[in-house]
């Protein structure tokens, strides 16, 4: 909204400023309120908040932001005014570059229709009438020169001849002092000229009234000047003026004309002396002259002061469609993305000597995270990954992992998703997926691995408050612990998932399986070769304990577990 300050008569503004500046406790905010508002907007808008403008007026330092103005015509966006020192060509180039980079998928076309009648007319054509124009322009204001900032530094030389950063009150106060001095000197200069002219007219009038005698003195005397001065009580200046006149001019001298000019100049002298002798009359004269200058040279403010929301660029998730996709990672670090969640990644074709390693499902507007064998994370926009119609591309083309280190896992989902990261040495912690994001091609250290240990497959957590983790060691121990006992960390080694006794290096016990379960709804199945053991709620309860405990030994014949599976029962199965 534009400021609600009504237009003022400038003479009233000047009078109010002069009066306000005379007060010892003048408030700058009151002074700013006297400034007139624009009558019509013809230039870019000033969007600096009123509080910041007041601070600039108070300190003499700050910055002013200007934003282009636009309107809608038949669904198109028409930009009609640009910030100062901004060209239409540069704006076209900046927007076109974003369209080429596919950062503005909602814009179909861009035209420059500027001509002599419309100096600025840039037309932006949205792809449909469902596009949110306000959001598009907010993005363009943040990423192009449609919005610019201008530094304000009111450093100037004052009446004392020294440079200084001045606030608005100081500037106006010194300007008024300077204006008063200037007008006073001008009036005094004019008054001095009038006085000199009146002095000459007085001498000329004496010459006219005694013209025959003056002519006789000039004709008969060798040095007429001192004679004239003595005879008629003239000054040096008056005598010189009489002697410099030609005879013809003397003849033309007429008392009426001399007295008429003398009367006019005397009246002007009286007026000047009255003005110079009265501060009020001098101020009124200054106000009158300012008002006349405004009528001759002034115009309305062309840049309205308005309040606008802060410009903000689109993030990647807001301009990319949110479609379901599956990301597939091969054993040799090749990556690709397939539309939908129904694809079976094991049935895809892989390069010779390569095979399936890991897969994850999510949305196309999310970030995909990749973990290498050292526990470092790397991230990329999911929509930028190659299609699964081909064999993909190597991640080493996007990232630079340590020499000889491959990628082992892919994590994918909403930024606030929680994952359980763990090593087969028996340490782990909970991490939020967005903490794994990084723009660094060399990755980000996340999971610290003890010597000779490996990363276990990360587990996506649906409900950390009610879930448990089931961990089986190579010694045949099973421990089921509430996930809430694990810490949330951005990076590190983590804590022990269960208590593994310290043994010699050759007999080191490791974690062979790790799964998340809900004891009330899930069934846990252990596979050893072709045999399997199913644990239901009562059995699971027997293996449930605290994180600091060893866990329970599995039955004989099931202590060398090959794999662990969790199956969620349907509601009707729970009561059958």
């Amino acid at each position: 909204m534009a400021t609600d300050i009504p237009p003022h008569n400038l003479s009233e503004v000047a009078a109010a400023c002069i009066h306000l500046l005379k007060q010892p406790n003048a408030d700058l905010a009151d002074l700013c309120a006297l400034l007139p508002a624009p009558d019509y907007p013809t230039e870019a808008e000033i969007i600096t908040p009123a509080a910041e403008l007041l601070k600039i007026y108070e300190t003499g330092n700050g910055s002013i932001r200007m934003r282009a103005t636009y309107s809608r015509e038949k669904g198109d966006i028409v930009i009609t005014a640009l910030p100062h020192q901004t060209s239409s060509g540069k704006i076209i180039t900046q927007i076109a570059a974003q369209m080429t980079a596919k950062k503005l998928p909602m814009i179909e076309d861009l035209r420059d229709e500027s001509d002599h009648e419309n100096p600025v007319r840039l037309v932006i054509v949205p792809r449909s009438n469902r596009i949110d124009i306000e959001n598009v322009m907010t993005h363009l204001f943040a990423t192009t020169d449609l919005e610019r900032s201008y530094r304000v530094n009111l450093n100037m030389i004052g009446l004392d001849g020294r440079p200084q950063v001045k606030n608005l009150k100081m500037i106006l106060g010194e300007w008024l002092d300077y204006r008063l001095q200037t007008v006073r000197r001008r009036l005094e200069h004019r008054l001095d000229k009038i006085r000199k002219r009146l002095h000459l007219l007085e001498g000329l009038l004496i010459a006219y009234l005694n013209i025959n005698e003056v002519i006789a003195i000039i004709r008969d005397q060798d040095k007429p000047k001192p004679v004239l001065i003595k005879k008629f009580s003239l000054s040096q200046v008056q005598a010189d003026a009489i002697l410099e006149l030609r005879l013809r001019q003397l003849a033309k001298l007429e008392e009426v004309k001399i007295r008429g000019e003398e009367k006019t100049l005397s009246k002007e002298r009286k007026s000047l002396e009255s003005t110079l002798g009265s501060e009020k009359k001098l101020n009124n004269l200054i106000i009158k002259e300012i008002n006349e200058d405004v009528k001759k040279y002034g115009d309305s403010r062309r840049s309205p002061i308005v309040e606008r929301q802060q410009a903000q660029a689109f993030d990647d998730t807001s301009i990319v469609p949110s479609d379901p996709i599956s990301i597939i990672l091969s054993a040799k670090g090749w990556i690709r993305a397939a539309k939908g969640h129904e694809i079976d990644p094991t049935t895809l074709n892989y390069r010779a000597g390569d095979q399936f390693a890991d897969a994850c499902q999510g949305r196309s507007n999310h970030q995909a995270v990749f973990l290498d064998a050292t526990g470092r994370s790397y991230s990329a926009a999911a929509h930028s990954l190659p299609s699964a119609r081909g064999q993909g591309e190597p991640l080493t083309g996007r990232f630079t992992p340590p020499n000889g280190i491959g990628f082992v896992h892919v994590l994918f989902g909403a930024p606030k998703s929680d994952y359980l990261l763990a090593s087969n040495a028996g340490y782990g912690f909970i991490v939020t997926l967005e903490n794994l994001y990084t723009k660094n091609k060399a990755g980000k250290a996340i999971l610290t691995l003890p010597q000779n240990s490996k990363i276990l497959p990360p587990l996506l957590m649906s409900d950390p408050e009610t879930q448990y983790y089931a961990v089986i060691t190579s010694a045949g121990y099973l421990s089921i612990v509430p996930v809430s006992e694990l810490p949330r960390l951005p990076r590190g080694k983590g804590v022990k998932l269960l208590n593994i006794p310290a043994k010699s290096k050759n007999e080191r016990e490791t974690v062979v399986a790790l799964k998340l379960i809900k004891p009330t709804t899930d069934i846990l199945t252990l596979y050893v070769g072709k045999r399997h053991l199913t644990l239901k709620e009562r059995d699971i309860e027997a293996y449930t304990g605290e994180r600091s405990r060893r866990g329970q030994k599995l039955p004989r014949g099931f202590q060398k577990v090959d794999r662990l599976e969790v199956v969620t029962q349907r509601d009707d199965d729970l009561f059958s």
Side-chain angles (χ1 to χ4, degrees):
M1 297 294 293
T3 53
D4 294 329
I5 305 173
H8 293 72
N9 180 286
L10 193 60
S11 61
E12 297 176 2
V13 176
C17 286
I18 292 172
H19 174 73
L20 187 60
L21 289 170
K22 297 297 182 183
Q23 307 303 317
N25 58 346
D27 186 357
L28 191 56
D30 295 335
L31 186 62
C32 296
L34 297 174
L35 301 179
D39 291 334
Y40 56 91
T42 60
E43 297 291 345
E45 302 170 339
I46 296 176
I47 62 169
T48 306
E52 293 185 21
L53 290 176
L54 182 59
K55 187 176 180 180
I56 293 174
Y57 295 151
E58 291 174 339
T59 64
N61 278 312
S63 62
I64 293 177
R65 298 195 69 82
M66 295 193 70
R67 178 178 288 185
T69 57
Y70 69 94
S71 60
R72 296 197 64 174
E73 293 184 10
K74 299 179 181 179
D76 295 341
I77 305 170
V78 180
I79 300 172
T80 55
L82 298 176
H84 297 307
Q85 300 176 338
T86 301
S87 66
S88 300
K90 186 174 183 180
I91 297 298
I92 291 288
T93 301
Q94 291 174 336
I95 298 178
Q98 293 192 46
M99 294 173 66
T100 302
K102 298 181 179 180
K103 293 183 177 180
L104 290 173
M106 67 290 296
I107 294 180
E108 181 178 7
D109 193 15
L110 176 66
R111 301 190 304 271
D112 186 356
E113 297 182 354
S114 305
D115 53 29
H116 66 284
E117 294 183 357
N118 301 287
V120 176
R121 183 177 172 83
L122 305 181
V123 181
I124 301 174
V125 183
R127 288 195 178 276
S128 72
N129 56 9
R130 296 187 300 273
I131 299 297
D132 190 333
I133 300 301
E134 295 294 332
N135 284 343
V136 173
M137 292 306 299
T138 298
H139 169 79
L140 293 178
F141 290 141
T143 57
T144 69
D145 282 353
L146 287 174
E147 180 176 318
R148 292 189 61 181
S149 179
Y150 302 88
R151 181 68 182 167
V152 176
N153 182 22
L154 303 181
N155 189 359
M156 59 191 70
I157 297 176
L159 295 178
D160 58 359
R162 297 180 179 180
Q164 181 185 359
V165 177
K166 304 178 186 295
N167 59 36
L168 180 62
K169 181 180 177 182
M170 294 174 62
I171 293 171
L172 291 179
E174 289 198 23
W175 183 85
L176 286 174
D177 289 342
Y178 175 75
R179 184 64 181 166
L180 285 168
Q181 295 174 16
T182 303
V183 173
R184 186 181 294 276
R185 287 198 299 264
R186 189 190 76 211
L187 297 182
E188 289 175 347
H189 177 71
R190 175 60 181 167
L191 181 59
D192 185 55
K193 291 182 65 175
I194 290 174
R195 285 171 175 168
K196 290 180 179 179
R197 180 60 180 168
L198 286 172
H199 184 61
L200 291 178
L201 290 176
E202 184 181 352
L204 294 176
L205 185 59
I206 292 172
Y208 173 77
L209 295 175
N210 302 277
I211 189 168
N212 293 328
E213 192 173 355
V214 169
I215 293 173
I217 293 172
I218 295 174
R219 183 181 57 205
D220 298 336
Q221 299 293 329
D222 293 335
K223 293 183 178 181
K225 182 177 178 179
V227 177
L228 289 174
I229 293 175
K230 184 177 180 181
K231 178 69 175 178
F232 302 108
S233 300
L234 301 175
S235 67
Q236 295 277 352
V237 176
Q238 289 173 326
D240 289 336
I242 293 172
L243 292 173
E244 289 175 0
L245 288 174
R246 296 179 181 180
L247 184 60
R248 183 174 56 184
Q249 289 176 306
L250 286 173
K252 287 185 177 181
L253 287 175
E254 298 178 8
E255 182 181 5
V256 177
K257 290 184 178 180
I258 294 174
R259 292 192 182 280
E261 184 180 358
E262 182 181 36
K263 182 179 180 181
T264 302
L265 292 178
S266 295
K267 183 178 180 180
E268 185 177 355
R269 179 185 64 182
K270 185 177 180 180
S271 175
L272 291 174
E273 290 174 343
S274 176
T275 301
L276 289 170
S278 171
E279 183 178 356
K280 181 179 180 180
K281 290 183 178 180
L282 189 60
N283 289 338
N284 289 336
L285 175 62
I286 294 174
I287 292 171
K288 179 182 177 182
E289 291 177 348
I290 293 175
N291 201 27
E292 290 174 351
D293 288 341
V294 167
K295 290 180 180 179
K296 186 175 181 180
Y297 304 108
D299 56 11
S300 299
R301 183 192 297 159
R302 296 182 178 275
S303 297
I305 300 176
V306 296
E307 295 180 5
R308 300 293 187 196
Q309 65 178 357
Q310 184 176 359
Q312 185 174 1
F314 293 139
D315 56 21
D316 291 340
T317 60
S318 64
I319 60 176
V320 176
S322 179
D323 299 325
I325 62 171
S326 300
I327 298 179
I328 302 98
L329 175 67
S330 75
K332 291 190 176 181
W334 284 64
I335 195 70
R336 46 185 159 170
K339 292 183 178 180
H341 293 165
E342 298 78 20
I343 188 170
D344 183 358
T346 60
T347 62
L348 297 177
N349 292 326
Y350 294 87
R351 296 169 60 87
D354 201 359
Q355 60 183 352
F356 168 74
D358 196 12
C360 212
Q361 297 175 343
R363 314 294 295 187
S364 57
N365 60 343
H366 290 158
Q367 291 272 323
V369 174
F370 308 95
L371 297 179
D372 68 15
T374 67
R376 298 183 70 83
S377 71
Y378 310 78
S379 62
H383 71 273
S384 67
L385 300 178
S387 172
R389 294 176 180 176
Q391 293 180 335
E393 67 178 38
L395 284 176
T396 51
R398 292 173 177 254
F399 312 120
T400 54
N403 291 335
I405 300 299
F407 297 91
V408 292
H409 297 293
V410 56
L411 287 68
F412 190 35
K416 298 296 183 181
S417 301
D418 290 325
Y419 274 86
L420 171 57
L421 294 186
S423 66
N424 66 352
Y427 294 88
F429 61 91
I430 301 172
V431 66
T432 304
L433 184 59
E434 63 182 355
N435 287 336
L436 308 183
Y437 296 164
T438 176
K439 295 181 179 180
N440 193 346
K441 294 184 68 176
K444 179 181 180 181
I446 297 297
L447 181 62
T448 302
L449 297 176
Q451 189 175 7
N452 298 323
S453 62
K454 298 179 181 179
I455 300 178
L456 294 174
L459 301 177
L460 175 62
M461 307 175 69
S462 59
D463 188 359
E465 300 301 324
T466 61
Q467 284 183 301
Y468 289 62
Y469 65 85
V471 55
I472 298 178
T473 68
S474 56
Y477 285 87
L478 168 62
S479 180
I480 299 176
V481 181
V483 169
S484 58
E485 293 194 21
L486 294 178
R488 288 180 176 271
L489 301 174
R491 62 173 64 87
K493 179 181 177 180
V495 298
K496 287 185 177 181
L497 301 177
L498 76 168
N499 187 17
I500 299 178
K503 295 183 179 180
S504 65
K505 187 175 181 180
N506 294 332
E507 298 177 349
R508 184 169 66 90
E509 186 177 353
T510 61
V511 173
V512 296
L514 180 66
K515 289 289 185 179
L516 293 173
I517 65 168
K518 287 187 176 181
T520 57
T521 59
D522 293 344
I523 294 176
L524 195 62
T525 304
L526 292 70
Y527 290 88
V528 179
K530 295 183 178 180
R531 301 174 60 197
H532 69 275
L533 174 65
T534 299
L535 303 178
K536 295 190 177 181
E537 183 176 358
R538 182 175 299 177
D539 304 316
I540 290 174
E541 185 177 352
Y543 287 94
T544 301
E546 298 178 354
R547 183 178 60 81
S548 59
R549 294 187 178 182
R550 181 82 169 92
Q552 300 293 327
K553 192 80 170 181
L554 289 168
R556 186 181 300 275
F558 289 95
Q559 297 176 359
K560 301 293 181 182
V561 176
D562 295 328
R563 74 180 193 275
L564 188 63
E565 287 187 0
V566 176
V567 177
T568 300
Q569 300 180 92
R570 300 192 310 271
D571 291 340
D572 53 354
D573 292 338
L574 295 177
F575 300 99
S576 60

